[in-house]
Amino acid sequence: MGFIGKGLFEGMVVTARNFVGSYFDKERLVTVQYPEERVQVPENSRTFPFLVFDKDSDPVASMRCVACKICEVECPPQCIYIVMDRDEKGKPQQRPKVFDIDISVCMQCQICVEVCPFDAIKMDNNYEKSQYGRFDELVEHLPELLKSNEFYNKIKPTEATAVDAKLKADAEKKAKKAAPAAKPAATAAKPAAPAAPKPAPVAAPTAKIAIPDDAPFTPEQRQWLSGYLSTVAASGVAPAAAAPVAGTPAAPATEAPAGNWPWHDPGLGMQRRLDLAKETPIADKLMAAMAQTDCHACGYDCRGYADAIATGAETDLSLCLPGEAETANMLKKLMQEAGKL
Amino acid sequence: MIQPLTDAKPYTLTPGSNGVIETQTLEVSIGPQHPSTHGVFRMDCVLDGESVVALKPVMGYLHRNHEQLAERMAWLGSMPYTDRLDYFNSMTNNWAYALAVEKLAGIKVPDRAEYIRVIMAELTRLLNHSCVIGFMLQDLGAWGTPLLYAFRERERILDLYEAVSGSRMMCNYMRFGGVRVNLTDENLATAKDIATRFPRFLDEFEKLLTNNEVLLARTQRVGVLPKELAINAGISGPMARASGVDYDLRKVDKYGVYGRLEFRVPLGDIGDVYDRYYIRVLEMRESIKILQQALRDIPQGPHIAPEVKLRNFKIPPGDGYGRIEGPKGELGFYLVSDEGGKQPYRYHVRPPSFINLTILEDMCVGHKVADVVVILGSVDIVLGEVDR
């Protein structure tokens, strides 16, 4: 049973139902009066990146960013600019001096977050970022970018909890790994040990040699080490006396247990690291020339990259991003000295 | 410089010897700043009175150098740029690119990821088709009503996208070997809710439009695209199927898990604007069926292949073409990897909008100028994809 205009009439019924329904039915009234009313954004929602720091007392020192520049390289529209902080002697400080994000270029793709090995950069969900200017106002610098871990926990609870748990597990693993590895190193350090600044309270009463307070040992390890060293010292046997430089492992690093690389400390300067690795095979020297952040910017950890260069599997010497030109030049020099280049 | 399509004759109002006023054709430029061109697109029409004599599509106003940009960055780097091709359907764009790279690198995608991809792609089809119908009606003069009803439904899907991927439209969700974030049970419940609600909206939508006399009068036998011409011109997607070409990559290639899902491919017989409208409605109904099956069958498991590296991802030399049935048609990525394999040596997009647009003149000639905007609306273009 059709009549002319039936389709039109039915359409009108639909619009009328929607119009009237919008007064009663929440389903049909979907408008939100924005500045007064706000929609809760989902936890995953993302806008622009920020940098996470851990301690409120000192944001700059406790920021997780180590200026490894992975995000700068991986950012598709190239909106990140990083300069590593250096002290007056030119030693890298493992944190950025300049960290700029041009939010007029940033396309909110989250790739910087995904590639960051330190969980240092995360996405904000603040969608009200309008500014009065179009140029400098749209470049965010380090002070604006730094946000606390509490803030991160507040805006993205699920994600932040997982990240915190992961970081904690990593730290514990590292501490565990450092402990056994430290044994031979401490042995080797014996000749230097008597010159330790002040004797630490040690459980063993016979202990004459103290382990520095800040050495990363558990009390049990400390006790064991002190006892061991004292015994060795008392017996007059100096197992590491042959070591020419304090802190250098007596045995070549290849024989040392994995993870025993005294130069593997990002806080040391390039010269100091190379000194530590002076008597070691080429792979270790190469490793000492790197920035020691294990950031995987090159596609390996520091050890892996050094081994890959030494074996010839990797020919590109410029992959160490945090080490900048200093590392690249040193790698080249070392390779030339070794006659491999 | 745009060359005039006809030799302009001097304009005169003097009646000739037979008493008839001599007329001339008029060249009208529709766009690039015109609401009915769906972006910055220009149509150079030659009109005889109100009828179209010739029509030349002019593209390139939104050219962003997409392909060359992709050739200078890592494989993953161009994934967020694919969002910006067809900015209505970032999920399917992501999928097409990921599929091409997976083919080239020989990556196996876990089952759950495949199902998630199907769910996202079919949701994308729903939102694209409903909005396209809305835009086409907008061009017809149905100001706002159908479009805003479509937007209301689309918003539910976009909310799900935001909850899952973090962004409503620029999702950047697929990764090589899977998807970036796993779907939670809550997300799946939302998707199920959308799949159960959508048919009701579709019924209402159809009641509003399908038998509407104005729509029938304006769209039937307008902009007919014959089957032979559609095949010759390489038309794909709903536009080809409206002309009766039985070609759906979900059936032909059976990529992803489409081989396991049951659905039919609706076909039109005339290939006019009305067919193109109705094909989309029918496709949405099939999409809902696919969605319900995928949501029922989705297995547990990893959402991304664990062996795929995010950084320093390298592909051995070779070339590959990955294509999917996007909501607008066959979306393909042709990729060439060379020595080093850190970035594509060649990166080419086969955009459905662009190729479907090439046939515009054949559909428009002989119709009134008012029909041109309707025909363009029924082609379903997004200028981000046409110009790249």
Side-chain angles (χ1 to χ4, degrees):
Chain A
M1 49 150 259
F3 55 91
I4 292 178
K6 180 166 176 273
L8 268 178
F9 180 75
E10 280 177 352
M12 289 298 190
V13 172
V14 171
T15 44
R17 200 188 296 145
N18 274 280
F19 172 67
V20 178
S22 70
Y23 283 92
F24 307 104
D25 189 358
K26 195 83 192 86
E27 292 286 296
R28 294 190 195 274
L29 179 68
V30 287
T31 314
V32 174
Q33 303 293 335
Y34 162 57
E36 291 84 29
E37 269 182 82
R38 268 150 219 263
V39 178
Q40 174 76 37
V41 289
E43 193 189 320
N44 266 347
S45 178
R46 62 174 198 261
T47 54
F48 294 102
F50 66 91
L51 295 173
V52 186
F53 65 84
D54 285 314
K55 287 183 203 128
D56 279 335
S57 51
D58 193 356
V60 172
S62 70
M63 82 171 109
R64 292 178 188 169
C65 180
V66 300
C68 71
K69 302 190 187 183
I70 293 179
C71 50
E72 187 182 2
V73 171
E74 293 291 321
C75 175
Q78 306 273 291
C79 70
I80 302 177
Y81 175 69
I82 302 171
V83 176
M84 189 187 270
D85 197 7
R86 284 167 188 275
D87 65 5
E88 58 277 8
K89 285 184 204 143
K91 200 176 98 184
Q93 296 296 300
Q94 299 302 321
R95 61 165 184 261
K97 186 165 85 185
V98 178
F99 198 115
D100 289 351
I101 295 181
D102 188 343
I103 60 170
S104 62
V105 174
C106 175
M107 62 170 170
Q108 317 179 349
C109 65
Q110 210 179 1
I111 282 181
C112 51
V113 177
E114 285 170 63
V115 297
C116 181
F118 302 99
D119 287 299
I121 189 164
K122 293 289 166 195
M123 290 311 252
D124 203 347
N125 58 10
N126 171 22
Y127 50 87
E128 293 164 323
K129 260 198 187 301
S130 46
Q131 301 283 356
Y132 283 105
R134 287 190 290 151
F135 303 103
D136 292 348
E137 292 84 348
L138 289 175
V139 179
E140 296 211 324
H141 305 287
L142 203 47
E144 297 105 82
L145 285 170
L146 279 176
K147 304 249 168 84
S148 69
N149 194 24
E150 281 92 73
F151 172 79
Y152 178 43
N153 270 287
K154 205 180 94 198
I155 60 168
K156 301 192 174 181
T158 324
E159 198 186 300
T161 315
V163 167
D164 283 351
K166 185 184 142 239
L167 288 176
K168 207 175 150 206
D170 281 358
E172 272 165 15
K173 215 196 263 168
K174 214 172 168 186
K176 225 176 250 169
K177 212 169 153 191
K183 271 180 225 162
T187 320
K190 192 222 113 200
K198 68 173 180 171
V202 182
T206 55
K208 294 190 187 84
I209 299 159
I211 308 297
D213 278 336
D214 51 353
F217 300 127
T218 60
E220 292 83 357
Q221 286 164 345
R222 193 179 288 274
Q223 197 175 345
W224 181 86
L225 264 174
S226 308
Y228 177 69
L229 290 175
S230 310
T231 330
V232 169
S235 67
V237 182
V245 182
T248 308
T254 40
E255 287 167 30
N260 174 28
W261 309 300
W263 56 84
H264 192 46
D265 174 2
L268 302 173
M270 168 72 85
Q271 200 49 51
R272 174 89 179 113
R273 294 202 303 269
L274 285 176
D275 284 348
L276 287 172
K278 214 169 177 179
E279 299 292 313
T280 55
I282 177 75
D284 286 358
K285 279 194 196 124
L286 290 170
M287 183 188 174
M290 280 155 202
Q292 316 299 334
T293 51
D294 278 338
C295 65
H296 292 80
C298 52
Y300 314 88
D301 54 9
C302 295
R303 180 79 251 171
Y305 185 35
D307 289 344
I309 296 177
T311 57
E314 180 64 69
T315 49
D316 191 348
L317 300 182
S318 61
L319 291 177
C320 184
L321 292 177
E324 298 178 329
E326 191 186 26
T327 293
N329 293 338
M330 186 50 75
L331 289 178
K332 205 169 163 197
K333 200 174 134 210
L334 288 168
M335 288 298 275
Q336 271 163 348
E337 276 170 11
K340 287 197 180 186
L341 204 69
Chain B
M1 189 63 201
I2 307 296
Q3 295 296 318
L5 292 181
T6 54
D7 300 324
K9 282 184 281 178
Y11 184 73
T12 169
L13 260 182
T14 330
S17 52
N18 54 0
V20 177
I21 296 175
E22 215 178 287
T23 60
Q24 61 170 16
T25 56
L26 180 68
E27 197 176 332
V28 177
S29 190
I30 306 179
Q33 310 295 340
H34 191 280
S36 72
T37 54
H38 299 238
V40 276
F41 172 61
R42 194 162 80 103
M43 287 176 286
D44 218 3
C45 306
V46 179
L47 305 178
D48 178 11
E50 260 199 276
S51 306
V52 179
V53 180
L55 185 143
K56 194 169 125 186
V58 185
M59 299 112 166
Y61 292 96
L62 202 61
H63 181 60
R64 280 119 53 228
N65 213 6
H66 175 78
E67 292 179 6
Q68 294 288 302
L69 274 178
E71 283 162 22
R72 73 135 180 87
M73 62 178 78
W75 295 97
L76 178 65
S78 46
M79 183 66 86
Y81 282 104
T82 61
D83 292 338
R84 286 137 176 97
L85 279 176
D86 173 359
Y87 39 77
F88 261 78
N89 311 321
S90 61
M91 289 283 189
T92 48
N93 297 346
N94 283 179
W95 191 3
Y97 179 53
L99 193 74
V101 171
E102 281 154 13
K103 248 185 184 176
L104 191 52
I107 300 166
K108 179 105 180 48
V109 183
D111 245 19
R112 186 176 172 86
E114 292 280 23
Y115 274 93
I116 294 175
R117 286 175 173 191
V118 166
I119 291 167
M120 290 304 169
E122 294 309 321
L123 285 172
T124 303
R125 207 179 308 279
L126 289 180
L127 75 84
N128 179 73
H129 283 359
S130 55
C131 287
V132 162
I133 293 170
F135 281 122
M136 197 183 86
L137 268 289
Q138 181 99 340
D139 292 344
L140 268 173
W143 283 107
T145 308
L147 181 61
L148 289 180
Y149 288 3
F151 268 26
R152 190 179 62 199
E153 291 312 305
R154 168 178 177 252
E155 205 59 33
R156 292 189 217 286
I157 299 173
L158 293 187
D159 281 348
L160 174 66
Y161 283 4
E162 189 176 14
V164 174
S165 75
S167 187
R168 294 166 71 244
M169 292 176 77
M170 303 297 132
C171 298
N172 186 18
Y173 182 55
M174 312 273 172
R175 287 287 174 270
F176 311 135
V179 295
R180 186 158 53 80
V181 188
N182 206 347
L183 286 188
T184 60
D185 292 342
E186 199 186 330
N187 298 143
L188 285 172
T190 318
K192 259 178 207 150
D193 184 46
I194 291 169
T196 39
R197 251 176 223 237
F198 210 85
R200 260 190 283 159
F201 157 74
L202 219 46
D203 290 342
E204 199 179 80
F205 210 47
E206 272 212 76
K207 213 175 231 174
L208 183 68
L209 301 172
T210 303
N211 293 319
N212 188 309
E213 281 81 0
V214 181
L215 181 77
L216 294 174
R218 286 293 305 277
T219 57
Q220 286 189 326
R221 308 274 165 187
V222 169
V224 176
L225 176 65
K227 189 176 177 180
E228 294 73 27
L229 189 56
I231 295 170
N232 278 344
I235 306 299
S236 56
M239 206 170 146
R241 291 194 284 276
S243 298
V245 185
D246 186 3
Y247 185 70
D248 188 324
L249 287 177
R250 290 174 293 175
K251 287 281 188 199
V252 176
D253 275 10
K254 294 192 170 47
Y255 60 94
V257 286
Y258 278 115
R260 298 180 210 167
L261 303 167
E262 238 178 75
F263 64 101
R264 297 192 302 165
V265 180
L267 294 179
D269 48 2
I270 301 171
D272 57 3
V273 173
Y274 187 80
D275 274 6
R276 292 200 272 278
Y277 152 72
Y278 204 62
I279 280 289
R280 294 203 167 98
V281 172
L282 294 176
E283 272 193 17
M284 280 194 271
R285 295 205 184 275
E286 293 303 318
S287 284
I288 292 164
K289 271 193 221 164
I290 298 176
L291 256 182
Q292 278 161 346
Q293 291 172 52
L295 286 166
R296 186 193 63 206
D297 297 345
I298 183 166
Q300 291 298 329
H303 62 284
I304 187 157
E307 76 273 11
V308 181
K309 282 193 292 180
L310 204 57
R311 300 193 59 245
N312 296 306
F313 177 71
K314 287 178 193 163
I315 297 183
D319 63 337
Y321 180 64
R323 56 180 188 176
I324 64 158
E325 182 69 35
K328 292 177 163 54
E330 176 184 336
L331 174 63
F333 283 82
Y334 177 66
L335 305 170
V336 180
S337 173
D338 66 345
E339 285 301 322
K342 279 184 182 171
Q343 65 234 69
Y345 172 75
R346 178 77 179 97
Y347 171 106
H348 174 74
V349 188
R350 187 238 186 252
S353 298
F354 174 66
I355 291 168
N356 290 356
L357 195 56
T358 54
I359 206 72
L360 189 64
E361 180 173 14
D362 299 73
M363 293 194 289
C364 288
V365 168
H367 289 293
K368 299 273 187 287
V369 69
D371 290 332
V372 169
V373 288
V374 185
I375 295 168
L376 179 69
S378 74
V379 174
D380 183 7
I381 56 164
V382 158
L383 267 295
E385 191 176 65
V386 172
D387 294 339
R388 295 191 301 295

